[in-house]
Amino acid sequence: MDNIAGKKSGLTWAVNISVIVMVLLWLIPTVGLLVSSFRDRDQISASGWWQAPFSVELTYATRASDPVVTDEGAYIIEGNIFATDEVAASFAAGESTISAFGDTGRNPAEFPAGGQADLGDGEILTVQPNGDYRYVLPEEPRRPPRIYFEAETPPEFTLDNYRTVLTADNMDRAFINTMTVTIPATIIPILIAAFAAYALAWMDFPGRGLLIAAVVGLLVVPLQLALVPLLKLHQAIGIGQSFLGIWLAHTGFGLPLAVYLLRNYMVGLPRDIIESAKVDGATDFQLFVRIVLPLSFPALAAFAIFQFLWTWNDLLVAKVFLPSADEAKVMTVKIADDLLGSRGGDWGILATAAFVSIAVPLVVFFAMQKYLVRGLLAGSVK
Amino acid sequence: MNPIFQGVLTIVIGVGGCIAYFYLSNFILDRFIFPAKGKDPGKNINRANQVRPWLFMFPAVFALGLYLAYPVVGSFWRSLYNRSGDEFIGFGNYANLFASDEFQTAFFNNILWILFVPAASTFLGLLAAQLTDKLRWGNIAKSLIFMPMAISFVGASLIWKFVYAVDEDIGLINAVRDSFGMEPLDVLQIPFWNNFFLMVILIWIQTGFAMVILSAALRGIPEETIEAAIIDGANPFQLFFKIMVPQIMGTIVVVWTTITVLVLKVFDIVYTMTGGNFGTDILPSYMMSFMFRDDGRATAVAFVIMIVVLPVMIWNIRQARKELR
């Protein structure tokens, strides 16, 4: 807009750069989560996720499992460390660079690679950077002796975290529970709200203004107020803490927004269409089902997305209205109450669990963004 | 019963029930109660049309009344009773609350949240809206800034744990500190300022919302006013603050109040990040610490939240009534 009146803005560069900075700031935390979810536990604790594409120094323990040869009274074991039984799987390519080695778990990087280490009791160990080692012992070892070493490990991305998250800890169950809560809680309020919105938009009756004002007022009633009385009510009528209870609760809590959004949209429909249908003898019911409902599709979609995101992401209602037993937990509760407690230090699992729980909303968000934006605008800008 | 099966059944019963209710109630009204025939068909049609809006609205009004209006009264009533609910203690719960240090901390923190989060989100949203509007790749930028809207508060908290973590191989902040040779620092334990680190999470989520709405409002500004200002020699900053912002003030207020109301609902962030420790409690999370343990106090806290929201509610209703006229 600065370009009108023939004035070229000198700020273009500044604008571009500030937007890039802002987008990066907004994106980086999520990228961190995504990258971390593909790294294994050792890599995560060895280097930050922003170093994920680079090699890390990891410590390994192995045994000198190559055959023992005797030479002038000494027992010698020779071979390549990357080929020893215990670590062969970690170095499938058979190559890496060793930076240091040692013979105790307490100090696995005691000696620099390439040098000779006197381990005491006449034992001498040499490890080359390329993995070749030579272990000289004065007596025949009963078991292959331990060697610890620190090696460059190429970046490794695994799906192990996803496998763990989706199979262990009942997380798969939690995923299904979240679906079970979300889908009915999204669909049921739509129809109820649509009829009410039609009545508030196109039917004339005393008290209409008052009802609209009431809906606007209920829009901001804090959910917290509803928790205790409704839980008591559910317990009194035998629903208790159950899926039925949470569906009813989400339906009730979603209605003000649904009615408000749909009414705002329906009021804007062209009066001519509705009046000509009435003149042609359509009843209100026919008018609603055949004309208003199909025309209101964008608003219905917008509300459906809102309600979906809100119920999928909800923690509060799920904590109160669902049983606290493990098999009834939804993902948010599972992550907040279980994983953060029991697996607080396992960042890979945490990241993966979080990403599993936000993946579905993100897909819905990017696929239906158009409707979401429209819905937001219908609800706020008049 | 398997919950999935139960869910499918509920959808069928719920949707089928709604359709059946609306269809049958209209059918019965038109056929049997006020049929459009007999002695006085016109009068019957009019009568039916007076009843019909209530048929259409009954399920919604019933659900709204039961799930949102009744709890306001029910919660207030419950908050006047003691912990087990068998003894009327008047405003005893409120007196206890206001005397307790934790409640005062939570209340004070909540005021901070109410002041800071909407202000920062609206400001950043406005900034993002104005900056991206001019760019060719603006829509992509908007989409990315808007994205956190889809993420749950729990998910967002976890995401930000990867920024705040003490371990310099995990937390970004401490990685930066480490590269400057500084000691690692647990930002969530710095008294007072830790609140702001928690607020950042909500601001991160809400900026996109503010941006989308304000961007639409900015586009709605008549071109002539901007052209006139440029011809009169306004620089870009004057143009923005003196010409554009005043014209979208109404929308800014709507965004501001919407976020304010949201701030009073969100307990997830504090609950997940600190559990209300280190002096970061806010009213919604403070309430959850009494949930299932002391209903009297829990409802009292909830009612305090209601009173804080009340001015916004009244303002919203007045705006809505103004529009109706």
Side-chain angles (χ1 to χ4, degrees):
Chain A
M1 274 188 252
D2 284 344
N3 295 339
I4 40 178
K7 191 182 160 206
K8 179 82 184 152
S9 170
L11 289 174
T12 312
W13 270 105
V15 168
N16 262 303
I17 291 170
S18 21
V19 174
I20 290 173
V21 168
M22 200 165 175
V23 167
L24 281 181
L25 275 178
W26 250 251
L27 211 55
I28 283 175
T30 319
V31 173
L33 185 84
L34 180 62
V35 172
S36 300
S37 74
F38 289 108
R39 305 180 78 208
D40 71 41
R41 181 203 280 258
D42 297 334
Q43 301 238 341
I44 288 178
S45 52
S47 71
W49 61 263
W50 51 94
Q51 290 165 323
F54 310 111
S55 300
V56 286
E57 298 261 301
L58 287 186
T59 310
Y60 294 89
T62 185
R63 283 181 187 281
S65 55
D66 291 289
V68 185
V69 266
T70 36
D71 179 37
E72 294 172 10
Y75 295 84
I76 298 167
I77 314 174
E78 265 185 311
N80 191 294
I81 213 159
F82 298 127
T84 51
D85 299 344
E86 289 186 23
V87 295
S90 307
F91 298 95
E95 280 178 26
S96 181
T97 312
I98 291 179
S99 54
F101 64 96
D103 69 328
T104 57
R106 267 179 293 116
N107 197 353
E110 202 175 347
F111 312 104
Q116 199 177 54
D118 187 353
L119 306 175
D121 301 332
E123 296 184 13
I124 293 167
L125 175 61
T126 326
V127 180
Q128 303 299 332
N130 68 2
D132 289 338
Y133 72 96
R134 180 183 161 90
Y135 210 136
V136 183
L137 301 115
E139 293 165 35
E140 177 162 16
R142 264 164 295 155
R143 301 199 293 156
R146 272 255 173 247
I147 304 179
Y148 295 87
F149 64 95
E150 212 177 67
E152 282 282 297
T153 312
E156 195 190 332
F157 294 98
T158 97
L159 289 173
D160 282 353
N161 291 328
Y162 284 87
R163 216 163 290 138
T164 316
V165 162
L166 291 176
T167 53
D169 285 344
N170 266 341
M171 196 63 185
D172 48 341
R173 187 62 191 265
F175 188 86
I176 292 170
N177 285 341
T178 301
M179 289 274 230
T180 315
V181 168
T182 306
I183 295 170
T186 305
I187 294 176
I188 294 171
I190 293 181
L191 210 58
I192 298 178
F195 273 96
Y198 173 77
L200 289 174
W202 288 105
M203 293 165 117
D204 218 6
F205 58 91
R208 188 171 77 154
L210 216 59
L211 270 174
I212 296 173
V215 169
V216 173
L218 292 178
L219 214 46
V220 300
V221 167
L223 276 188
Q224 278 83 1
L225 275 176
L227 303 179
V228 172
L230 286 181
L231 192 59
K232 284 270 157 3
L233 179 79
H234 279 180
Q235 275 156 353
I237 59 175
I239 298 174
Q241 287 179 311
S242 67
F243 281 105
L244 183 60
I246 199 172
W247 290 325
L248 291 175
H250 273 311
T251 303
F253 300 151
L255 273 179
L257 181 69
V259 174
Y260 179 68
L261 212 64
L262 292 175
R263 192 203 85 92
N264 273 357
Y265 190 85
M266 287 177 186
V267 159
L269 293 176
R271 182 170 281 272
D272 304 353
I273 301 181
I274 287 162
E275 276 175 1
S276 60
K278 270 192 184 162
V279 170
D280 289 346
T283 65
D284 273 312
F285 189 74
Q286 286 168 329
L287 189 63
F288 173 74
V289 174
R290 299 262 177 84
I291 296 173
V292 173
L293 210 51
L295 283 179
S296 305
F297 177 75
L300 296 174
F303 170 72
I305 302 167
F306 273 125
Q307 180 76 353
F308 176 83
L309 292 179
W310 159 246
T311 48
W312 186 282
N313 292 338
D314 158 77
L315 173 68
L316 181 64
V317 180
K319 265 182 81 72
V320 175
F321 287 96
L322 277 182
S324 49
D326 201 40
E327 59 270 16
K329 278 183 179 158
V330 293
M331 274 192 291
T332 45
V333 177
K334 191 88 197 162
I335 293 171
D337 283 359
D338 286 8
L339 290 187
L340 275 176
S342 66
R343 292 199 181 244
D346 199 335
W347 293 94
I349 298 292
L350 280 179
T352 314
F355 198 75
V356 167
S357 85
I358 67 178
V360 177
L362 280 184
V363 169
V364 171
F365 173 82
F366 281 113
M368 318 266 286
Q369 204 176 12
K370 194 176 73 184
Y371 292 110
L372 188 67
V373 170
R374 247 190 242 171
L376 275 180
L377 297 181
S380 315
V381 187
K382 285 290 329 187
Chain B
M1 194 163 33
N2 186 326
I4 301 177
F5 177 67
Q6 205 187 341
V8 174
L9 199 71
T10 310
I11 295 178
V12 173
I13 293 177
V15 174
C18 282
I19 294 173
Y21 162 79
F22 286 116
Y23 184 77
L24 287 179
S25 64
N26 272 280
F27 183 76
I28 291 169
L29 183 72
D30 289 333
R31 251 331 133 73
F32 301 110
I33 302 178
F34 297 121
K37 57 186 180 201
K39 272 207 312 246
D40 201 351
K43 197 175 163 202
N44 268 358
I45 290 177
N46 282 343
R47 275 205 208 135
N49 283 344
Q50 273 168 7
V51 177
R52 198 173 338 264
W54 300 101
L55 283 185
F56 273 44
M57 283 188 310
F58 171 73
V61 168
F62 177 76
L64 283 175
L66 186 63
Y67 276 83
L68 286 167
Y70 152 71
V72 177
V73 182
S75 268
F76 179 65
W77 191 244
R78 181 65 186 80
S79 71
L80 302 178
Y81 283 80
N82 70 350
R83 178 175 176 164
S84 51
D86 49 14
E87 192 192 332
F88 185 84
I89 53 169
F91 288 94
N93 283 320
Y94 294 90
N96 282 341
L97 279 185
F98 282 97
S100 94
D101 281 344
E102 287 115 49
F103 176 81
Q104 286 173 6
T105 313
F107 194 83
F108 173 72
N109 286 342
N110 226 152
I111 300 292
L112 279 183
W113 279 70
I114 291 177
L115 292 178
F116 190 66
V117 174
S121 309
T122 313
F123 174 75
L124 287 172
L126 189 59
L127 194 70
Q130 170 69 4
L131 292 180
T132 52
D133 257 357
K134 297 175 177 175
L135 294 184
R136 211 175 302 144
W137 56 288
N139 278 340
I140 300 172
K142 267 189 196 145
S143 201
L144 292 174
I145 294 176
F146 193 33
M147 180 197 69
M149 267 290 276
I151 296 175
S152 61
F153 298 121
V154 175
S157 304
L158 262 183
I159 288 176
W160 281 84
K161 272 195 182 253
F162 279 79
V163 177
Y164 294 157
V166 189
D167 186 337
E168 72 271 6
D169 279 328
I170 292 166
L172 268 178
I173 289 184
N174 280 313
V176 172
R177 286 178 64 91
D178 189 55
S179 66
F180 287 112
M182 287 187 278
E183 287 292 301
L185 176 75
D186 191 344
V187 292
L188 296 179
Q189 295 194 27
I190 312 169
F192 184 71
W193 296 108
N194 50 8
N195 285 302
F196 289 88
F197 284 104
L198 295 181
M199 289 179 214
V200 165
I201 303 175
L202 194 54
I203 295 167
W204 179 71
I205 297 176
Q206 289 300 315
T207 296
F209 163 76
M211 178 197 65
V212 165
I213 291 174
L214 293 174
S215 151
L218 282 176
R219 287 193 180 161
I221 296 177
E223 286 275 328
E224 304 87 59
T225 56
I226 294 163
E227 275 175 42
I230 292 175
I231 292 168
D232 287 348
N235 69 34
F237 290 98
Q238 288 173 326
L239 185 66
F240 183 65
F241 287 107
K242 298 205 166 150
I243 307 294
M244 296 167 90
V245 169
Q247 294 195 61
I248 57 165
M249 214 50 205
T251 314
I252 292 180
V253 173
V254 169
V255 170
W256 195 295
T257 50
T258 311
I259 299 178
T260 307
V261 171
L262 182 94
V263 168
L264 286 162
K265 286 182 185 172
V266 175
F267 93 113
D268 319 34
I269 294 176
V270 170
Y271 181 82
T272 321
M273 294 298 277
T274 62
N277 294 316
F278 320 123
T280 56
D281 235 347
I282 55 174
L283 291 179
S285 63
Y286 184 66
M287 183 213 165
M288 275 313 272
S289 60
F290 289 113
M291 192 74 209
F292 302 120
R293 292 197 295 120
D294 185 344
D295 284 351
R297 282 227 207 175
T299 46
V301 179
F303 207 74
V304 171
I305 299 177
M306 177 73 202
I307 289 170
V308 178
V309 179
L310 210 57
V312 178
M313 187 194 266
I314 292 169
W315 190 85
N316 275 2
I317 293 176
R318 287 180 63 179
Q319 285 308 91
R321 300 211 62 139
K322 225 184 271 171
E323 269 164 33
L324 276 182
R325 271 177 216 133

